[in-house]
């Protein structure tokens, strides 16, 4: 659907390039073009200048094609980062509109932690937080290395669903165990649950898949979706500073 903000009129568009698949992610790149990801590996670009849709073709050197495309995030180097289930992390070069890199787990401990990536957050121009089924990876994209925050560090054992960074260097995330935050400078983790007013601690919103449901409002309020609705809070109003014991 296309909304005209001047008239509040909604127009339904049929886009053959989407092949009638469900849209799971959508973002705007720095050139004003719209990128769309679906639940069947399809990535489509809408070019603003040409007002046309183009389906991205996977190169033959891509080892695995995605099942779902859950997040498309504009990068800092004329690129896009793509979170997928089954195909790890992808980088699209906006100069060519082609997938330039694919990051998959291997025997190297500095590789990405899982084939299933559900969310991406830019922490700074050099580092991204990558949410996977095995925890959160801190990705130095210049060095192409991943450091892992896992169950041993206090992470939930069943994977992460969605993330959002606040203005106090905290990374908030949801999982089957509720709402938590990592204080990034020291990687200390604090969990919030029923006693803190979280009515549904399991934030998984579909039976078979985990995917991101999160937004940050203009007043810095963060909103996470869950099966009963959503949880909203202002991180600046939470004075909780205690952390779990080592």
């Amino acid at each position: 659907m296309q909304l005209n903000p001047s008239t509040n009129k909604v127009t339904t568009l049929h886009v053959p390039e989407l092949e009638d698949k469900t849209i799971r992610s959508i973002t705007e790149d720095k050139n004003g073009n719209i990128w769309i990801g679906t639940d069947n590996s399809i990535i489509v670009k809408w070019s603003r200048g040409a007002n046309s849709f183009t389906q991205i073709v996977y190169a033959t050197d891509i080892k695995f094609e995605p099942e779902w495309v859950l997040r498309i995030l504009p990068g800092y180097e004329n690129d896009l980062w793509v979170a997928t289930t089954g195909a790890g992390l992808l980088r699209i070069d906006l100069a060519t509109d082609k997938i330039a890199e694919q990051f998959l787990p291997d025997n190297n401990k500095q590789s990405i932690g899982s084939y299933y990536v559900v969310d991406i957050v830019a922490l700074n121009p050099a580092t991204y937080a990558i949410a996977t089924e095995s925890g959160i990876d801190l990705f130095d994209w210049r060095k192409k290395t991943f450091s892992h925050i896992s169950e041993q560090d206090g992470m939930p054992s069943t994977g992460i669903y969605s993330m959002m960074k606040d203005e106090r260097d905290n990374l908030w995330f949801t999982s089957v165990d509720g709402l938590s935050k990592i204080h990034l400078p020291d990687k200390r983790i604090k969990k919030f649950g029923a006693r803190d007013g979280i009515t549904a601690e399991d934030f998984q919103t579909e039976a078979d898949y985990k995917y991101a449901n999160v937004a940050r409002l203009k007043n810095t309020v963060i909103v996470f979706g869950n099966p009963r609705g959503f949880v909203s809070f202002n991180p600046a109003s939470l004075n909780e500073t205690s952390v779990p014991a080592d």
Side-chain angles (χ1 to χ4, degrees):
M1 292 184 292
Q2 183 182 63
L3 170 65
N4 185 329
S6 300
T7 62
N8 287 328
K9 183 180 178 180
V10 176
T11 303
T12 300
L13 302 177
H14 177 69
V15 181
E17 291 79 4
L18 292 173
E19 299 182 10
D20 293 323
K21 304 303 179 183
T22 301
I23 293 173
R24 297 295 177 182
S25 55
I26 187 167
T27 195
E28 182 179 9
D29 67 23
K30 68 176 188 177
N31 301 313
N33 304 311
I34 304 297
W35 294 76
I36 304 166
T38 77
D39 61 2
N40 194 39
S41 79
I42 293 172
I43 301 174
V44 170
K45 174 189 175 183
W46 173 71
S47 300
R48 183 175 295 275
N51 190 25
S52 62
F53 292 88
T54 305
Q55 188 176 118
I56 303 304
V57 177
Y58 291 94
T60 56
D61 58 347
I62 295 297
K63 293 183 178 180
F64 300 98
E65 291 190 12
E67 297 166 3
W68 287 23
V69 178
L70 296 181
R71 176 74 75 191
I72 304 175
L73 180 73
Y76 289 95
E77 293 293 318
N78 198 37
D79 53 13
L80 298 171
W81 294 94
V82 183
T84 78
T85 61
L89 177 68
L90 306 176
R91 185 178 73 85
I92 295 176
D93 185 346
L94 292 180
T96 62
D97 289 348
K98 294 181 179 180
I99 296 172
E101 293 180 278
Q102 182 178 37
F103 297 88
L104 299 170
D106 58 32
N107 294 326
N108 182 352
K109 67 179 181 180
Q110 292 185 320
S111 67
I112 194 169
S114 174
Y115 291 93
Y116 291 83
V117 179
V118 297
D119 205 1
I120 314 169
V121 170
L123 302 180
N124 56 56
T127 309
Y128 294 90
I130 311 295
T132 75
E133 283 196 330
S134 60
I136 292 177
D137 292 348
L138 301 182
F139 175 44
D140 185 326
W141 69 267
R142 293 191 175 106
K143 296 180 180 178
K144 311 299 183 185
T145 58
F146 298 80
S147 59
H148 311 294
I149 305 174
S150 65
E151 190 177 357
Q152 295 178 344
D153 303 299
M155 295 290 290
S157 60
T158 51
I160 310 305
Y161 299 155
S162 54
M163 304 183 296
M164 182 65 69
K165 183 178 179 291
D166 68 17
E167 296 178 341
R168 297 184 172 186
D169 285 327
N170 295 307
L171 182 66
W172 295 83
F173 62 93
T174 59
S175 71
V176 70
D177 291 327
L179 173 68
S180 304
K181 70 174 180 179
I182 304 173
H183 186 56
L184 292 169
D186 55 20
K187 298 181 183 177
R188 292 298 187 103
I189 299 170
K190 169 66 180 177
K191 179 180 179 298
F192 298 83
R195 290 184 298 178
D196 304 292
I198 308 298
T199 58
E201 291 197 47
D202 184 353
F203 277 76
Q204 185 169 340
T205 52
E206 290 211 359
D208 298 322
Y209 290 91
K210 312 162 188 176
Y211 64 93
N213 287 289
V214 59
R216 183 173 176 177
L217 308 184
K218 291 182 179 180
N219 59 359
T220 73
V221 167
I222 296 175
V223 181
F224 285 102
N226 68 21
R228 295 186 181 180
F230 61 88
V231 173
S232 66
F233 60 94
N234 188 336
S237 67
L238 299 179
N239 297 318
E240 176 64 59
T241 57
S242 62
V243 296
D246 292 331

